[in-house]
Amino acid sequence: MAFFDSIKLEKGMYNGGRSLTAVLEELDPSEHYKGTPLEGLDAFQRQLKRYDIRVGGAHSDSVQKFFETSNSAALFPEYVARAVRQGMENNDCLKDIIAAKTVIDGMDYRSVVSTPSDDEKALKPVAEGAALPQTNVKTSENLVKLIKRGRMLVASYEAIKYQRLDLFTVTLRQIGAHIAREQIKDAVDVLINGDGNNNSASVVALDTANTLTYADLIDLWANMSPYELNTMLAPTDMMQKLLTLTEMKDAQAGLNFQGTGRMITPMGANLLHIPSMVSGKIVGLDKNCALEMVQSGDIILDSDKLIDRQLERASISCIAGFAKIFKDAAKVLA
């Protein structure tokens, strides 16, 4: 059993594609601290406590606290990664539209695809002794396109060493927020145009061009069968049209929207505002079976630069892509 105050920290712990927290948890499992004052802290947080580094709150330390020893300096890249990841999670609506997330070690990945016919979806009665109908599942023809999104963090140690970590964390979270917004843009593009395997979403035409009516939303709902319309994605212009529909203006809808920012949505679907979407379109989908997210590793950092050169220019990036699972589980109203 390794104790948190006797672990030798080094930059080599970042090799292998795993986060420092995962490496530390293997050496110093959190389950060993149940019933102790350190219960509730993960392995990385215990190392922060070991070196008395406070990263949040009114009395947070300055950046230079990480670099007081070579051991504590090895914690800095993980602090950066966790702050960026927190920014991604706080601004991430991907969890509301992806059915599965797959983390891979390499750059090549083929998803699986199943395209049952209407006859196969019906699941008709099978006579005694007769063969059961088949559902064919196969790998997709083309690889999932993985896109690297990130930012270059440019700052000298001298420029930020007296900066409080609480404020520096805000900057890092904003980098994460930018990455998350770009990833949702990639996800919506795949929902609409497909992932290169001839699976772009079918279009449900508006009754009148450039005009949205409640009847159009009903058409979208009806065309989703046998899938469930439980999520809708809309750009700013279509959100404005939705909010002005007569059916969305009843008293209860107004109170909810004015008080919480959440509107009563058509057919109870979760309505998400995606400003980066192409105007004039609404995407309806069954979030339980429409989209797979594929991510290569974790957040990628230039850990050597963050430890040895104390910032200067360090890249922060994440590699991810998206694949359609069932083609008809997403429709476009346009």
Side-chain angles (χ1 to χ4, degrees):
M1 170 180 174
F3 295 92
F4 77 99
D5 56 356
S6 62
I7 297 174
K8 179 174 175 55
L9 302 173
E10 56 184 3
K11 62 183 180 183
M13 289 179 165
Y14 289 94
N15 297 331
R18 293 191 302 164
S19 68
L20 179 64
T21 299
V23 174
L24 291 174
E25 282 289 347
E26 189 174 287
L27 298 171
D28 182 38
S30 294
E31 62 186 30
H32 292 168
Y33 295 88
K34 290 182 179 179
T36 73
L38 297 176
E39 183 177 8
L41 300 180
D42 62 29
F44 176 74
Q45 292 169 328
R46 287 192 292 275
Q47 291 301 315
L48 293 179
K49 185 174 181 63
R50 172 186 179 183
Y51 293 101
D52 193 28
I53 300 174
R54 296 182 295 273
V55 298
H59 302 290
S60 64
D61 290 308
S62 58
V63 172
Q64 67 177 346
K65 188 66 177 287
F66 273 104
F67 298 97
E68 289 183 350
T69 70
S70 59
N71 258 9
S72 59
L75 296 172
F76 189 62
E78 181 69 0
Y79 151 73
V80 172
R82 287 166 75 109
V84 171
R85 191 179 299 112
Q86 188 176 48
M88 292 177 66
E89 291 170 353
N90 291 343
N91 295 271
D92 181 19
C93 59
L94 285 174
K95 61 183 179 297
D96 296 317
I97 67 173
I98 62 172
K101 181 176 180 179
T102 303
V103 179
I104 61 175
D105 292 329
M107 293 293 292
D108 294 337
Y109 178 81
R110 292 182 191 273
S111 186
V112 295
V113 61
S114 176
T115 53
S117 65
D118 291 338
D119 189 59
E120 290 173 331
K121 292 176 186 177
L123 293 180
K124 297 176 181 178
V126 179
E128 183 178 353
L132 289 170
Q134 297 179 348
T135 295
N136 295 317
V137 179
K138 59 182 180 179
T139 55
S140 56
E141 182 178 348
N142 296 314
L143 295 171
V144 174
K145 182 180 180 182
L146 299 180
I147 301 174
K148 186 175 184 178
R149 301 283 191 188
R151 287 287 186 274
M152 184 69 72
L153 183 61
V154 182
S156 67
Y157 172 64
E158 290 73 16
I160 67 168
K161 66 179 181 178
Y162 298 117
Q163 189 65 258
R164 294 291 176 187
L165 288 167
D166 198 29
L167 180 58
F168 190 49
T169 300
V170 174
T171 302
L172 297 174
R173 286 175 183 163
Q174 192 61 22
I175 292 174
H178 288 315
I179 295 174
R181 283 193 285 269
E182 291 301 316
Q183 287 183 338
I184 190 65
K185 187 175 170 182
D186 295 335
V188 173
D189 180 68
V190 169
L191 283 171
I192 296 174
N193 300 310
D195 57 15
N197 289 288
N198 193 30
N199 54 4
S200 58
S202 302
V203 176
V204 179
L206 295 168
D207 287 341
T208 304
N210 300 320
T211 301
L212 179 67
T213 66
Y214 196 75
D216 293 321
L217 299 177
I218 297 297
D219 285 344
L220 177 62
W221 170 81
N223 276 274
M224 285 295 300
S225 180
Y227 299 101
E228 177 187 2
L229 177 61
N230 50 38
T231 306
M232 297 174 66
L233 314 177
T236 302
D237 66 318
M238 298 303 279
M239 284 291 292
Q240 291 173 322
K241 291 179 180 180
L242 276 169
L243 289 169
T244 56
L245 289 177
T246 302
E247 290 80 2
M248 298 292 110
K249 290 182 179 179
D250 64 83
Q252 187 62 46
L255 288 173
N256 279 344
F257 181 67
Q258 294 166 21
T260 66
R262 297 178 181 176
M263 62 175 289
I264 292 178
T265 57
M267 284 68 72
N270 185 23
L271 180 60
L272 302 177
H273 178 209
I274 312 294
S276 59
M277 271 185 65
V278 177
S279 61
K281 295 182 178 180
I282 292 177
V283 175
L285 66 139
D286 187 338
K287 69 174 184 178
N288 298 314
C289 51
L291 193 67
E292 176 190 13
M293 180 178 182
V294 181
Q295 183 170 310
S296 178
D298 202 351
I299 293 174
I300 303 170
L301 299 172
D302 285 337
S303 56
D304 286 351
K305 290 183 179 180
L306 290 172
I307 296 172
D308 297 336
R309 303 182 190 178
Q310 300 167 353
L311 292 185
E312 290 188 1
R313 294 174 63 87
S315 65
I316 303 171
S317 61
C318 184
I319 301 175
F322 300 89
K324 292 281 284 288
I325 302 176
F326 291 98
K327 175 183 176 181
D328 293 332
K331 304 278 187 179
V332 177
L333 179 64

